[in-house]
Amino acid sequence: MEKVTKDKIKAGLEVFRQLHDSKLLTHLNSCVHCGLCADSCLYYLTMKDERMIPANKVDVVASVYRRYHTLAGRLAPRLVNARELDDATVEEMVDLLFGACTMCGRCVRHCSIGVDIEYVVRMGRKILSDMGYVPASLQATVNAALETGNNMAIPDEEFLDTIEWMEEELQDELEDPQAEIPVNQPGKNVLYTLNPREPKFFPLSISAMAKVFYAAGESWSLSTTMYDVTNYAYFSGNEEHGATIGQRIHEEMEKMQAGKLVLAECGHGYRANRWEAPNYVKKAFPETVSSVELMAAYLREGKITPDKSLTEEVVTLHDPCNLVRGGGIWHEQRYILNRCVQHFEEMSPHGLDNFCCGGGGGQLAMGEYNDRRLKIAEIKAEQIRKTVAKIVATPCHNCVDQLSQINVDFKLNVQIKTIAEIVADSLVIEPKSQK
Amino acid sequence: MVVYNTVLMYWFEWIALGALLICLSGLAYHMIRLIRLGVQDDYSARAGSPVAGVFYSFTGGMDPRHKESAYLNLPTYVSGVIFHIAVFVTIVLFFLFLTGVNPGQSASLILSVVAFSGAVTGAGMLIKRLRDPKLRYLSNADDFISLLLVIVFLILAGLTLLIPAAYPVFMLASSLLLLYMPLGKLRHAVYFFAARIHLGRFYGWRNVWPPRKV
Ligand code: SF4
Ligand code: SF4
């Protein structure tokens, strides 16, 4: 690790100096070290390492705050465990805040006081980002998005080839040569986004959503300039990068004169675009909804008609933390599954209490912590196993990735699907051009 | 009880009064700082009600049936509740003593039971903090000092109710506690409310709280 310099310390401490409101100050001063959050965190539960207790992640940030901004911390640092922002502290911060937290927010809900642990972790990551200590792999993902417009640096040509291929698949499936995956078509009702994992690794989810749009008769388009729903700057803690990425997607929307922005199934992508980006750029954004909300609306309004009998297997649902606890979307996916499959079984716990799959917080992008990521996945594997489900549905491509690894590593023998894939599988559609 | 009926204040009562003023000023400093900084402007389109979120934060959000910190740790949770009730009662008692109000014999007996119960649960929490590896790891000197000061405060309050001669010592112990309060973790007396307000606003805005039935 690069040595901590005076300039870096100054840059890091700015986060405490430039308080825009009382939120950070509040959460840095609230923890009473009761330790009761330990059993809510998948890191502590699977590793039984005291360092992983959520309160300790708060404390590593709060101890720096105390050292520079409280009377007791300045006069008697040992009394209140106030720490210098030095090499050892930074190293520990990187390890705990980047390497031992998926920012799932589960501990927040269960904290006896109400400390927003996840928020403090994010602010701690911001300090590290301002000092230049974001893990290289995560920073590379952010840089790819900043430089190329998508976090996997997929060239336009490759992207368009994949879309064309998926369009052919769609036409074959629907037996309609007019069925299309529209690209760069302005003036549509919906500007749809994708997680770059889709064109790169899971293109079938693109044709699945296209099938849903087709069935609903939606007017929609993708954009080659900006289709990436993710914003990894939310995980790196760099709000300027977050603003740049968040702003782009909305500029594209204006350019394309789209009615609304529909976010692909991506937990943090939903949170970053729907809730965080307007605050990064300090302005209200046009209508932004999750594709899960949109599909639920299609079903409610009768725009699509599913046939439950087409999915006989038991289906369970994994709730992405940022969509559910951080975003307030948890009825919609249940409504959809209850309409589209014969047997839907909840995991335990689920909804607001669900456990993270282990891939959140940028963990999937940080190869440095792969061993931990798979260790904490034990909990999710056990949750899935207990349901006897054969299909695990989840409205998040990052979760799909992590769940797919869990599936192999823990020999679960299940299928992992997005909600769009479940909906698409349940649709029986007559080709429109033959109507 | 002679000490309760006197009009003139004793030297140790003056000390306690001074400590109280310093404590209140310290806590007011924290509170005013929070109020001046205010709450976050949110530019995202609101989906729920921050007011309902804050209400839930102090009600359903604290429901022990829904909090793992409570239902997975029931003995600790119950001890914590008893401890905090005893502390609040004893703070009221401190004011009564200072203003020369005598709670009366039977009330004194009940109040001393409350104070001693608090002290016992506090002692239990102290032992747990010393023995539980998780808590030992998280604890710093401030955690122990704060807890010890409160336990002594509770014991001396209970004793004063039964043996009036303990009153000066109680007032001096209270003074120490009051002087320490704004400096260490005891200031969560202020920050607890701020934390729950922030949490309620945040989740209320996003329509996460209050949770809707599926
Ligand atoms: S946010 Fe999640 S991973 Fe991070 S400390 Fe809390 S429970 Fe653990
Ligand atoms: S439950 Fe909350 S108050 Fe208790 S140690 Fe954890 S973060 Fe701190």
Side-chain angles (χ1 to χ4, degrees), chain B residues 24-39:
Chain B
L24 291 178
S25 314
L27 294 181
Y29 162 76
H30 287 288
M31 211 184 298
I32 289 165
R33 201 161 54 136
L34 290 177
I35 293 167
R36 281 180 64 174
L37 278 166
V39 289

Side-chain angles (χ1 to χ4, degrees), chain A residues 37-38 40-44 52-55 57 96-97 100-108 117-119 121 321 325 355-356 376:
Chain A
C37 48
S40 300
C41 176
L42 68 175
Y43 281 92
Y44 180 76
M52 306 288 173
I53 299 172
K57 297 164 199 173
L96 291 177
L97 307 180
C101 181
T102 63
M103 293 164 74
C104 72
R106 194 170 189 278
C107 50
V108 179
I117 298 151
E118 177 197 359
Y119 174 74
V121 166
C321 309
R325 272 189 292 270
F355 277 101
C356 177
I376 58 175

Side-chain angles (χ1 to χ4, degrees), chain A residues 150-152 154 158-159 162-163 165-166 181 192-210 213 220 222 227-230 262-266 291 295 394-398 400-401 418-421:
Chain A
N150 73 82
N151 74 42
M152 293 203 159
I154 303 169
E158 186 185 325
F159 175 70
T162 309
I163 296 298
W165 168 36
M166 284 302 108
I181 300 183
Y192 185 56
T193 56
L194 301 170
N195 184 313
R197 282 174 202 278
E198 295 181 80
K200 196 79 184 168
F201 306 122
F202 307 103
L204 290 176
S205 64
I206 304 174
S207 54
M209 194 60 203
F213 281 140
W220 69 290
L222 287 166
Y227 58 82
D228 184 353
V229 72
T230 71
V262 176
L263 305 167
E265 295 176 57
C266 176
S291 58
M295 285 186 278
T394 185
C396 173
H397 284 281
N398 279 6
V400 165
D401 209 350
T418 61
I419 300 293
E421 286 172 314

Side-chain angles (χ1 to χ4, degrees), chain A residues 21-22 26 29 32-34 40 44 51 79 106 110-111 113 271 274-276 279 325-326 328 331, chain B residues 38 40 42-45 67-69 129 134-135 137 142-143 145 185 187 195-196 198 206 212-213:
Chain A
D21 54 66
S22 62
T26 295
N29 281 290
V32 293
H33 296 161
C34 67
S40 300
Y44 180 76
R51 292 174 62 247
L79 176 76
R106 194 170 189 278
H110 293 291
C111 165
I113 293 282
R271 179 174 182 156
R274 171 68 177 86
W275 300 110
E276 311 295 343
N279 291 309
R325 272 189 292 270
H331 292 77
Chain B
Q40 205 175 23
D42 200 324
Y43 292 86
S44 61
K67 283 178 91 84
E68 288 180 349
S69 51
R129 197 168 277 284
K134 278 192 303 232
L135 284 179
Y137 185 83
D142 174 35
D143 293 308
I145 293 169
K185 76 179 246 189
R187 59 175 186 247
R196 295 224 69 88
H198 275 293
R206 296 183 181 198
R212 291 150 293 147
K213 290 256 180 299

Side-chain angles (χ1 to χ4, degrees), chain B residues 79-145:
Chain B
S79 300
V81 170
I82 295 172
F83 180 73
H84 280 89
I85 290 173
V87 171
F88 289 127
V89 169
T90 309
I91 289 171
V92 173
L93 203 60
F94 167 82
F95 282 106
L96 291 181
F97 285 169
L98 205 60
T99 48
V101 177
N102 184 345
Q105 222 170 10
S106 41
S108 290
L109 208 62
I110 297 166
L111 289 171
S112 66
V113 171
V114 173
F116 286 134
S117 310
V120 170
T121 53
M125 286 153 75
L126 188 64
I127 293 167
K128 194 175 173 202
R129 197 168 277 284
L130 286 164
R131 296 191 52 171
D132 184 316
K134 278 192 303 232
L135 284 179
R136 245 198 345 252
Y137 185 83
L138 286 179
S139 301
N140 56 43
D142 174 35
D143 293 308
F144 290 105
I145 293 169

